[in-house]
């Protein structure tokens, strides 16, 4: 079964490895091209995640610890350049894609597709011109927040008042501008009030690339039922995240049983057109029943045993994501 993964953080560990890092075969990451091939991946989104300045890195001098808006832009350039290098070196296996047409053309040529996405748009830094910059670099999906306040709004929080804050004035303007450029808005990590505002102001499908259901696992990072419904109504999707923290209320295990509980809930609340996959590979840790793309077929096999019809499994695996990317 072909599948599309809407979120992974693989580029950062490859950057950390320096010249020895490789996208083709890498024992230090969840994802590499060999395992993507083994799992029959159709497309993989590679997120450029902007880490905090105090994050622990192998080599601070290598610009992997951005602390200013200028350094944020330098880091993004560095990450995009490295992704281009890895894809060029493996051009017999993988090619860039900006939309569904590109993905299907790459498939016809026997290649899987790479999608360029961003996690934390703090580098926008109150400038629509920076959104133009990212558009020209090829970013087609941008997660507007991570775990800290930025020019768009506020992160999820266990504090009720903090979680209800809406987008900032610039955040609303920026979301509308992203709509004009056909950059898909990703609300994973955003707080409840911010998600509500994105859904109210966006005229394009809204996605949560790597989020689960709060009704099943009570974490403020997970989506409320109302937001799942509204994302579905927008024509968007919710990508199932494999992180143990967002799959279950306790423990460090990421099991297929837990994944199916969330998927059944997405189905019941938002319908089968909201289903998608956004693993968060290389951005999470734990004990994984599905620990790499090579093991992704296990999920589809278990869903078949669970009684899901083939057409629904295909919607989850790739068809719904293709619909959102058809622009």
């Amino acid at each position: 079964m072909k599948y599309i993964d809407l979120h992974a953080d693989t580029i950062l560990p490859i950057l950390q490895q320096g010249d020895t890092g490789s996208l083709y075969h890498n024992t230090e990451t969840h994802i590499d091209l060999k395992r993507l091939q083994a799992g029959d991946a159709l497309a993989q989104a590679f997120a450029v995640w902007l880490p905090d300045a105090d994050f622990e890195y192998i080599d601070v001098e290598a610009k992997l610890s951005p602390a200013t808006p200028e350094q944020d832009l330098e880091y993004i350039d560095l990450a995009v350049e490295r992704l281009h290098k890895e894809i060029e070196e493996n051009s017999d296996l993988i090619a860039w894609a900006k939309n569904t047409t590109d993905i299907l053309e790459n498939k016809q040529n026997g290649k899987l597709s790479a999608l360029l996405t961003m996690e934390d748009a703090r580098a926008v830094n109150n400038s629509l011109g920076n959104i133009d910059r990212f558009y020209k670099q090829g970013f087609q999906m941008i997660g507007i927040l991570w775990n800290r306040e930025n020019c768009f709004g506020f992160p999820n929080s266990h504090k009720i008042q903090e979680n209800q804050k809406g987008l900032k004035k610039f955040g609303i303007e920026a979301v509308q501008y992203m709509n004009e450029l056909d950059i898909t808005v990703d609300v994973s990590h955003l707080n409840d009030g911010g998600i509500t505002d994105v859904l109210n102001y966006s005229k394009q499908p809204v996605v949560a690339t790597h989020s689960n259901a709060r009704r099943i696992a009570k974490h403020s990072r997970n989506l409320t039922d109302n937001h799942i419904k509204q994302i579905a109504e927008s024509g968007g999707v919710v990508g199932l995240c494999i992180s143990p923290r967002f799959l279950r209320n306790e423990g460090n295990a990421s099991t297929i049983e837990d994944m199916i509980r969330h998927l059944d809930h997405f189905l019941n609340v938002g319908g089968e057109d909201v289903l998608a996959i956004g693993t968060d590979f290389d951005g999470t840790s734990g004990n994984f029943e599905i620990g790499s793309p090579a093991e992704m077929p296990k999920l589809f096999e278990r869903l078949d045993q669970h009684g899901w019809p083939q057409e629904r499994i295909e919607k989850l695996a790739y068809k719904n994501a293709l619909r959102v990317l058809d622009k």
Side-chain angles (χ1 to χ4, degrees):
M1 169 88 60
K2 293 289 184 184
Y3 78 93
I4 295 174
D5 180 0
L6 293 175
H7 187 85
D9 292 306
T10 309
I11 186 56
L12 177 57
I14 289 177
L15 282 171
Q16 288 176 308
Q17 291 167 7
D19 292 340
T20 63
S22 171
L23 185 59
Y24 175 68
H25 175 60
N26 200 316
T27 59
E28 302 300 317
T29 58
H30 289 123
I31 285 177
D32 61 23
L33 293 179
K34 292 181 72 173
R35 284 173 286 179
L36 284 167
Q37 281 187 309
D40 205 20
L42 179 61
Q44 177 64 57
F46 293 99
V48 175
W49 168 60
L50 272 76
D52 289 332
D54 58 356
F55 199 83
E56 293 291 329
Y57 286 106
I58 293 171
D59 185 0
V60 173
E61 297 302 316
K63 298 180 181 177
L64 300 185
S65 204
T68 67
E70 293 76 17
Q71 289 173 355
D72 283 342
L73 294 175
E74 289 176 5
Y75 172 79
I76 290 168
D77 290 345
L78 181 72
V80 172
E81 181 182 343
R82 184 57 180 268
L83 275 167
H84 276 283
K85 176 179 178 288
E86 295 293 332
I87 289 168
E88 266 182 42
E89 290 178 354
N90 296 282
S91 59
D92 56 328
L93 303 176
I94 187 168
W96 285 109
K98 291 187 176 180
N99 51 41
T100 298
T101 300
D102 291 347
I103 292 171
L104 297 178
E105 184 176 326
N106 289 339
K107 177 178 179 287
Q108 192 170 11
N109 293 330
K111 300 180 183 182
L112 64 93
S113 290
L115 307 168
L116 183 61
T117 69
M118 185 183 295
E119 183 173 26
D120 190 352
R122 74 179 192 229
V124 168
N125 193 31
N126 290 295
S127 169
L128 296 182
N130 281 331
I131 298 178
D132 282 322
R133 186 183 198 271
F134 302 143
Y135 173 75
K136 290 172 184 174
Q137 281 184 296
F139 286 96
Q140 63 259 60
M141 196 176 302
I142 294 180
I144 60 176
L145 231 88
W146 186 58
N147 287 342
R148 303 211 182 199
E149 177 184 348
N150 67 15
C151 60
F152 282 79
F154 306 89
N156 69 90
S157 173
H158 65 278
K159 298 176 181 178
I160 294 175
Q161 283 188 322
E162 291 293 314
N163 220 24
Q164 294 306 315
K165 290 181 178 179
L167 291 179
K168 297 178 181 180
K169 182 180 178 182
F170 174 80
I172 294 169
E173 183 181 359
V175 164
Q176 293 172 328
Y177 190 59
M178 288 166 67
N179 278 182
E180 292 178 27
L181 296 178
D182 276 341
I183 297 174
T184 300
V185 180
D186 174 12
V187 297
S188 287
H189 286 278
L190 187 58
N191 68 343
D192 288 355
I195 294 175
T196 296
D197 277 350
V198 170
L199 288 161
N200 284 337
Y201 287 103
S202 177
K203 303 304 180 187
Q204 300 270 16
V206 173
V207 302
T209 57
H210 56 302
S211 294
N212 292 336
R214 196 178 301 175
R215 185 66 66 90
I216 304 299
K218 296 174 177 60
H219 194 291
S220 59
R221 242 286 268 125
N222 285 339
L223 298 172
T224 66
D225 285 1
N226 191 45
H227 285 151
I228 295 169
K229 288 177 188 174
Q230 289 179 304
I231 289 172
E233 289 166 359
S234 81
V237 293
V238 177
L240 173 75
C241 176
I242 65 165
S243 174
R245 294 177 63 203
F246 312 126
L247 277 177
R248 56 198 306 150
N249 290 314
E250 58 184 16
N252 199 35
S254 171
T255 70
I256 295 174
E257 180 182 359
D258 286 325
M259 295 176 200
I260 291 176
R261 289 171 64 220
H262 284 271
L263 289 172
D264 278 341
H265 191 75
F266 289 153
L267 175 66
N268 292 335
V269 172
E272 61 184 21
D273 290 338
V274 81
L275 303 167
I277 294 168
T279 59
D280 205 14
F281 277 144
D282 294 312
T284 185
S285 60
N287 298 315
F288 297 99
E289 192 168 356
I290 294 177
S292 81
E295 297 178 302
M296 193 61 69
K298 293 179 184 178
L299 174 60
F300 308 133
E301 291 165 9
R302 289 277 288 278
L303 285 168
D304 178 66
Q305 296 165 8
H306 185 60
W308 275 31
Q310 184 73 7
E311 174 66 18
R312 184 185 300 156
I313 298 173
E314 289 175 352
K315 284 187 173 186
L316 162 72
Y318 67 93
K319 286 185 174 179
N320 290 338
L322 283 179
R323 185 193 73 242
V324 170
L325 293 165
D326 187 19
K327 58 186 179 183

